[in-house]
Amino acid sequence: MKKYAVTPCSCGSLRVIDLSSETSECPYCGKTIQNESARVLYSDSDPKAARDALARLTGFEAPPEDPEVRRRIEEADPLSTLEYKYEGCSDPEEKMEMLAHGLTKIYGTFDIDDVRKIEARDPERILKGMIELCIVFEAEPGRYKA
């Protein structure tokens, strides 16, 4: 029978692992561990129960039950949602990936003015970084895609 566990990684992130596997890789830092030596904070044979425990341990709250609040969340402006997530991210490369994928999802292809809507301080530097890291490619002159 499979067993799932919530375990901390040395990078500080909590994650769910399948204890029936020999090893697991942290989705945040990429470090591989031997599952038999993992520090288990919670375990269960139900993967949903393990995910719920992870959510509780990380402070995640499920969407509210109030239909009006849920509707507002579901109808939120995708650009302002992307901006909120972008501003909350601290890793520069992760920010560029989030921005590129978010703008591609919203617009299909995007240009420097679309980047400027989210990153007003130095959009040219951010776009240059996305190109250099191969996060985006130029789909047509002046238009980019993740």
Side-chain angles (χ1 to χ4, degrees):
M1 174 190 288
K2 284 194 174 204
K3 194 134 181 148
Y4 301 90
V6 176
T7 185
C9 179
S10 60
C11 73
S13 299
L14 294 178
R15 61 200 179 103
V16 174
I17 63 173
D18 178 353
L19 289 173
S20 65
S21 298
E22 286 185 31
T23 62
S24 61
E25 184 177 306
C26 177
Y28 305 101
C29 72
K31 181 179 178 184
T32 300
I33 64 161
Q34 297 293 322
N35 288 347
E36 66 183 20
S37 64
R39 185 171 151 231
V40 175
L41 302 175
Y42 175 88
S43 68
D44 199 294
S45 59
D46 180 7
K48 182 181 180 333
R51 288 191 304 272
D52 290 346
L54 175 65
R56 286 190 306 279
L57 289 166
T58 58
F60 172 80
E61 292 185 34
E65 296 301 319
D66 181 340
E68 177 59 24
V69 173
R70 184 180 287 269
R71 182 192 62 75
R72 283 194 322 235
I73 290 170
E74 290 170 355
E75 294 175 1
D77 171 46
L79 194 61
S80 62
T81 301
L82 175 61
E83 182 177 16
Y84 176 78
K85 289 178 181 178
Y86 180 81
E87 291 301 322
C89 184
S90 59
D91 179 73
E93 190 172 330
E94 193 175 311
K95 282 181 94 158
M96 287 188 278
E97 286 183 17
M98 179 185 307
L99 182 58
H101 290 284
L103 290 174
T104 299
K105 185 176 181 180
I106 294 168
Y107 299 116
T109 61
F110 60 91
D111 62 18
I112 189 69
D113 291 328
D114 296 322
V115 174
R116 190 173 284 111
K117 292 174 187 174
I118 304 294
E119 177 56 68
R121 289 170 287 186
D122 200 354
E124 292 83 5
R125 182 177 60 85
I126 296 298
L127 183 57
K128 182 180 178 189
M130 289 191 287
I131 293 167
E132 288 175 357
L133 292 171
C134 299
I135 296 170
V136 299
F137 66 94
E138 195 167 13
E140 56 187 82
R143 307 266 331 150
Y144 303 89
K145 187 173 190 167

